[in-house]
Amino acid sequence: MGAFSKIFGTPEARADLADARNNLADVSSGITEETDDYYAANQRVIDAEQAVKDSRRR
């Protein structure tokens, strides 16, 4: 793991986080209630954030 990956997380982890956030946006668009799909997508974002440094989570 290079210095960049140590600071910002691996490219795969950053891509997974972006994908998880996009999935959450797709699932949550237009809903008025929190569904099981919403909770699953939100948990996927939380799990993906664990592999990315705090400074890159925004």
Side-chain angles (χ1 to χ4, degrees):
M1 179 182 295
F4 186 84
S5 293
K6 287 182 182 178
I7 295 170
F8 297 111
T10 65
E12 295 83 12
R14 293 190 315 269
D16 188 42
L17 178 58
D19 186 48
R21 286 180 175 167
N22 289 335
N23 183 40
L24 179 60
D26 291 342
V27 169
S28 63
S29 65
I31 64 169
T32 57
E33 297 178 2
E34 295 175 340
T35 63
D36 289 338
D37 290 338
Y38 171 81
Y39 286 124
N42 192 50
Q43 186 61 48
R44 182 174 172 218
V45 171
I46 293 168
D47 293 341
E49 285 179 340
Q50 300 304 313
V52 179
K53 300 291 183 182
D54 291 340
S55 61
R56 298 298 299 173
R57 291 185 187 174
R58 294 171 184 81

